[in-house]
């Protein structure tokens, strides 16, 4: 089945130690998104890639970076995680951001713990 | 500042009865609204959507109503089934920076359908 896969499902890191979260998709979608969801909060868009075109949200901290080496993979890099970065990180894909009816397909998320 | 608000963190209903989940928004630029459903350990999945040019959209047991003047939408599930127990996220979109559309989510409502 075509899907969005996130690895690992659970990630523990130390304060200040760089960490990378991975997302892959078999849907061949053009757009890949990264959301941050803190406990009991709404998912919040960090950035997205439309093909190789990177689109950062204005309020995403510089501590968060992303890479998309090819259509299938997208990485979220947190350069110096703080305690406030502990959250569920959701990856999503969509075919084309310009379609009003375009659905986003989500992975199961990676829960990040910062010690 | 929450632009999409789901003021009920949880809702409990009996199997067979109607479930009504509510959502309010503050941004008048939102013109497309979606509901996502999320089971534990899974990512959100798209459920139903509505454009601002409509006031109702129906898909099987699920109906979404939109009241633009009140900036309010609701999701009705009739009849409710135990398998509907999940977190329901309301989301809204607006054109953002050209042809890219961004989803703004609410915090979600946990629906429990009791047998």
């Amino acid at each position: 089945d075509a899907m969005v896969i996130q690895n690992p499902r659970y990630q523990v890191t130390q304060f200040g130690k760089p960490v990378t979260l991975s997302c892959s998709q078999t849907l061949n979608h053009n757009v890949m998104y990264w959301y941050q969801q803190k406990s009991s909060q709404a998912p919040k868009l960090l950035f997205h890639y439309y093909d190789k075109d990177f689109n950062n949200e204005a309020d995403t901290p510089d501590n968060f970076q992303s890479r998309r080496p090819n259509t299938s993979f997208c990485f979220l890099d947190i350069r110096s995680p703080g305690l406030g970065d502990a959250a569920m990180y959701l990856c999503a894909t969509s075919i084309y951001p310009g379609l009003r009816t375009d659905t986003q397909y989500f992975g199961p998320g990676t829960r990040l713990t910062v010690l | 500042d929450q632009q999409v608000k789901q003021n009920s963190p949880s809702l409990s209903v009996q199997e067979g009865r109607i479930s009504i989940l509510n959502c309010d928004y503050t941004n008048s630029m939102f013109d497309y609204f979606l509901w996502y459903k999320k089971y534990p350990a899974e990512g959100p999945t798209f459920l139903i959507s509505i454009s601002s040019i409509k006031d109702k959209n129906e898909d099987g047991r699920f109906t979404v109503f939109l009241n633009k003047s009140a900036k309010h939408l609701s999701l009705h599930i009739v009849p409710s089934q135990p398998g509907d127990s999940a977190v329901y996220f309301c989301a809204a979109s607006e054109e953002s920076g050209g042809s890219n559309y961004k989803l703004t989510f609410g915090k979600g409502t946990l629906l429990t359908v009791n047998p």
Side-chain angles (χ1 to χ4, degrees), chain B residues 13-16 37 39 61 79-86 88 111-115:
Chain B
V13 299
Q14 278 307 115
E15 181 178 5
K37 176 179 178 179
Y39 292 119
R61 296 185 297 113
S80 301
Q81 299 173 354
D84 296 330
S85 298
Y88 288 79
L111 172 67
T112 303
V113 180
N114 300 302

Side-chain angles (χ1 to χ4, degrees), chain A residues 85-101:
Chain A
D85 296 328
M88 176 72 81
Y89 289 87
L90 294 165
C91 175
T93 72
S94 67
I95 297 172
Y96 175 60
L99 286 175
R100 302 304 276 128
T101 57

Side-chain angles (χ1 to χ4, degrees), chain B residues 1-48:
Chain B
D1 184 31
Q2 276 264 286
Q3 297 185 67
V4 177
K5 300 177 184 179
Q6 294 178 257
N7 291 320
S8 298
S10 63
L11 174 69
S12 183
V13 299
Q14 278 307 115
E15 181 178 5
R17 305 294 290 267
I18 185 171
S19 296
I20 300 176
L21 296 100
N22 293 304
C23 179
D24 297 291
Y25 62 96
T26 57
N27 186 345
S28 57
M29 298 299 292
F30 287 146
D31 60 354
Y32 195 71
F33 304 89
L34 309 91
W35 286 93
Y36 279 79
K37 176 179 178 179
K38 184 183 182 304
Y39 292 119
E42 296 183 11
T45 56
F46 170 75
L47 184 61
I48 192 169

Side-chain angles (χ1 to χ4, degrees), chain A residues 37-114:
Chain A
Q37 185 185 14
K38 296 185 177 180
S39 180
S40 301
Q41 299 296 311
K44 179 177 176 296
L45 182 65
L46 295 173
F47 28 57
H48 74 276
Y49 271 97
Y50 177 27
D51 288 335
K52 293 184 183 294
D53 185 21
F54 179 69
N55 298 272
N56 198 28
E57 292 302 302
D59 55 355
T60 297
D62 292 340
N63 198 25
F64 291 85
Q65 305 284 320
S66 186
R67 296 170 284 135
R68 189 178 186 187
N70 53 54
T71 301
S72 300
F73 284 88
C74 194
F75 300 100
L76 170 62
D77 300 307
I78 309 176
R79 293 192 297 188
S80 181
L83 298 179
D85 296 328
M88 176 72 81
Y89 289 87
L90 294 165
C91 175
T93 72
S94 67
I95 297 172
Y96 175 60
L99 286 175
R100 302 304 276 128
T101 57
D102 193 22
T103 300
Q104 291 188 21
Y105 295 82
F106 284 83
T110 295
R111 182 166 296 283
L112 178 68
T113 300
V114 181

Side-chain angles (χ1 to χ4, degrees), chain A residues 97 100, chain B residues 3 27-32 92-104:
Chain A
R100 302 304 276 128
Chain B
Q3 297 185 67
N27 186 345
S28 57
M29 298 299 292
F30 287 146
D31 60 354
Y32 195 71
S93 75
E94 58 172 316
E95 187 173 359
S96 167
S99 61
N100 297 323
Y101 293 100
K102 166 184 169 179
L103 287 182
T104 301

